[in-house]
Amino acid sequence: MKIKKAVFPVAGLGTRFLPATKALPKEMLPVVDKPLIQYAVEEALNAGIEQIIFVTGRGKTALEDHFDKSFELENILLSKNKDHDFKAITSLVPETGTIIYTRQNEPLGLGHAIWCARDVVGDEPFAVLLADDLVKSDRPVLSQMIQRFCRLRASMVAVMEVAPEETDKYGIISGKDIEDHVIQLDALVEKPKPAEAPSNLAIIGRYILTPEIFSILGEKKKGAGNEIQITDAMSILLQSQPIFGYRFEGRRFDCGNKAGFQMANVAFAMDRPEIKDKLLPFLKEIIG
Ligand code: G1P
């Protein structure tokens, strides 16, 4: 039951970042000097994932180019002895043949995007990573989860506590703690109003799913926001299989919104001594 495949839904329009995302996929927005999607792909590869599956859409070719060789740029960097930059652009390219692209041709929701990968995933458990959720941690979240999955052998979602008034921005779970960091779920609800939320434990964009999810998604039932939701499909899956919530270690940045994205940039920049030297005095200055 090794997790070998990871699905990256990257077909979203990124309207919250317009006009920046008019011609640029939102997953290509950089945190310091690396696009969001690269953080997510590196996390997956670090966790032992062997096959990357991008569910893309129109206008996302920059993503494909980013993970491809760029002969012209490589030659220029080599001829100018820019070894560091050369390494930065060549080391990010996974071995050819390990990335597969499939398309979601209508924006019908996250559950639908995942369903678009059904034939590539096949009949095995797989991971899903949402690049918008960037987590700064000693150990990548997916590695933390896969370690638990090896023993628990069931679907799992990363969870964290959010402010009770924010439940309508997330999938919300409830359940009971069964071991350190792990909750056995008894309910999942997509974006409930605070008064209706079963808890304030929110799903963050890291999932391990068993393949039975695909037949449920294939029914194409619409839920919150009139979209096909992965949370709803998992709620049906829960009737026949256990599902676990994993309280991950690390700090999550919601890079799907502008404030979270800026916070991520500051946090990741402060880890780089050459940037911190200039950034810290500046931050102190503007804070006053
Ligand atoms: C999606 C999921 C939601 C989850 C969230 C995590 O929502 O539908 O359950 O909590 O990602 O970021 P979205 O942010 O796409 O609206």
Side-chain angles (χ1 to χ4, degrees):
M1 282 261 270
K2 193 168 178 271
I3 308 287
K4 290 183 286 196
K5 301 180 180 181
V7 175
F8 297 78
V10 289
L13 294 175
T15 47
R16 285 193 212 152
F17 282 90
L18 284 171
T21 47
K22 187 180 171 208
L24 181 79
K26 66 169 176 168
E27 298 80 9
M28 288 300 294
L29 292 172
V31 169
V32 187
D33 51 10
K34 231 170 21 174
L36 279 170
I37 189 66
Q38 195 181 329
Y39 287 93
V41 166
E42 285 176 358
E43 177 177 339
L45 295 174
N46 270 329
I49 295 296
E50 295 167 13
Q51 197 171 72
I52 307 288
I53 304 161
F54 282 132
V55 182
T56 70
R58 288 162 58 81
K60 298 279 182 169
T61 46
L63 281 164
E64 300 185 24
D65 291 340
H66 184 71
F67 290 102
D68 198 359
K69 263 178 102 65
S70 170
F71 289 104
E72 193 185 16
L73 186 55
E74 287 175 23
N75 287 340
I76 293 169
L77 294 174
L78 275 180
S79 68
K80 295 191 169 177
N81 294 323
K82 298 208 163 187
D83 296 348
H84 179 77
D85 293 334
F86 177 80
K87 206 164 162 254
I89 65 153
T90 49
S91 63
L92 73 89
V93 178
E95 193 183 351
T96 190
T98 55
I99 306 192
I100 293 174
Y101 298 92
T102 182
R103 277 207 181 200
Q104 181 189 26
N105 57 13
E106 281 178 281
L108 297 179
L110 177 59
H112 179 257
I114 294 170
W115 180 74
C116 291
R118 66 199 178 281
D119 284 348
V120 190
V121 171
D123 191 23
E124 57 186 278
F126 62 103
V128 176
L129 293 94
L130 307 185
D132 278 359
D133 282 322
L134 180 59
V135 181
K136 196 164 177 295
S137 54
D138 294 336
R139 244 178 107 215
V141 177
L142 190 61
S143 302
Q144 298 176 32
M145 289 171 73
I146 286 180
Q147 189 187 19
R148 299 296 172 117
F149 173 84
C150 290
R151 197 160 34 79
L152 297 166
R153 291 170 175 261
S155 296
M156 194 180 290
V157 285
V159 296
M160 66 179 263
E161 283 177 25
V162 295
E165 63 275 16
E166 300 220 311
T167 56
D168 57 0
K169 295 191 180 125
Y170 297 96
I172 299 291
I173 62 122
S174 65
K176 62 171 191 298
D177 289 281
I178 57 154
E179 61 180 52
D180 189 30
H181 290 271
V182 179
I183 301 158
Q184 177 152 8
L185 302 199
D186 55 35
L188 304 93
V189 197
E190 181 65 9
K191 303 197 171 89
K193 294 198 181 85
E196 286 147 27
S199 81
N200 65 335
L201 275 172
I203 299 172
I204 298 309
R206 300 290 180 278
Y207 305 75
I208 294 176
L209 297 169
T210 52
E212 290 76 20
I213 199 75
F214 288 124
S215 57
I216 301 171
L217 288 170
E219 309 232 325
K220 299 191 180 162
K221 287 201 188 108
K222 292 193 174 170
N226 204 27
E227 293 190 341
I228 300 167
Q229 299 288 356
I230 188 63
T231 308
D232 296 340
M234 292 183 80
S235 177
I236 296 170
L237 186 69
L238 186 60
Q239 293 166 14
S240 56
Q241 295 183 2
I243 302 181
F244 298 99
Y246 177 73
R247 295 177 196 258
F248 60 93
E249 287 170 15
R251 176 158 191 170
R252 173 253 187 181
F253 295 93
D254 179 4
C255 292
N257 80 58
K258 289 171 198 167
F261 179 72
Q262 298 308 330
M263 288 181 214
N265 267 286
V266 173
F268 280 76
M270 292 293 275
D271 266 358
R272 305 266 288 266
E274 77 285 8
I275 304 177
K276 184 179 176 182
D277 281 353
K278 296 196 168 70
L279 184 60
L280 191 57
F282 169 74
L283 291 174
K284 285 183 179 157
E285 182 197 321
I286 58 169
I287 289 163

